[in-house]
Amino acid sequence: DQQVKQNSPSLSVQEGRISILNCDYTNSMFDYFLWYKKYPAEGPTFLISISSIKDKNEDGRFTVFLNKSAKHLSLHIVPSQPGDSAVYFCAASALGANNLFFGTGTRLTVIP
Amino acid sequence: DAGITQSPRYKITETGRQVTLMCHQTWSHSYMFWYRQDLGHGLRLIYYSAAADITDKGEVPDGYVVSRSKTENFPLTLESATRSQTSVYFCASSVSPTYEQYFGPGTRLTVT
């Protein structure tokens, strides 16, 4: 039973435009959310996170939005660059848990 | 160099063979994790360890064995490899199980 879902396996965006990656979760106990970026033949690298006490967190071109009532988070990349082309995983955790729960990933392609 | 390393990076083995994947981290992180990445499933937790000599099962532990005699090492053993264990395996470490985890580069394992 997938507790974290990324329903879009792939997304293509023109360079300079906004990329929006979406993630839904089912467990209301989740209180911390993360986004990871993965290039081919490399391990995932941490990108940005957000606590459930916030609804937005920004880091440069990357912004994560959290809608707790809808159990939905999104990652916005503005402006998108070709180097952003990668697979993006969202992940979630609950206080007291021993691990992160990952989504299935969305492959972002930024077209020059 | 500081960080988290995995070896080998690529491995081909035959059904029924025992194979061990190595993971080493230099940060002295308490927590270490093993994941497998498969198309359509994202990252699934196999085993994790909270400290030396403390390990526990994750989502998909069957067919795998782990040990952690030293804080910095967390080997994963497939006691009798099966074709269904063909996957990319990632090791990760963190200071807390529910916050940022730092991943190794991965081991691509093929079982023939």
Side-chain angles (χ1 to χ4, degrees), chain B residues 51-62:
Chain B
D53 298 321
I54 301 175
T55 63
D56 207 348
K57 296 178 180 179
E59 183 184 353
V60 288
D62 293 343

Side-chain angles (χ1 to χ4, degrees), chain A residues 2 32 34 36 38 41-44 46 49 89 93-94 97-100 102-104, chain B residues 9-10 31 33 35 37 40-43 45 48 90 97-101 103-105:
Chain A
Q2 196 80 22
Y32 193 71
L34 308 89
Y36 280 82
K38 185 187 178 304
E42 294 183 13
F46 169 72
S49 62
F89 292 98
S93 67
N98 286 313
N99 57 279
L100 299 176
F102 283 85
T104 52
Chain B
R9 292 295 313 276
Y10 302 91
Y31 287 87
F33 309 85
Y35 293 89
Q37 183 194 4
H41 292 281
L43 292 162
L45 183 67
Y48 66 94
F90 291 100
T98 54
Y99 291 99
E100 292 81 3
Q101 295 180 12
F103 284 80

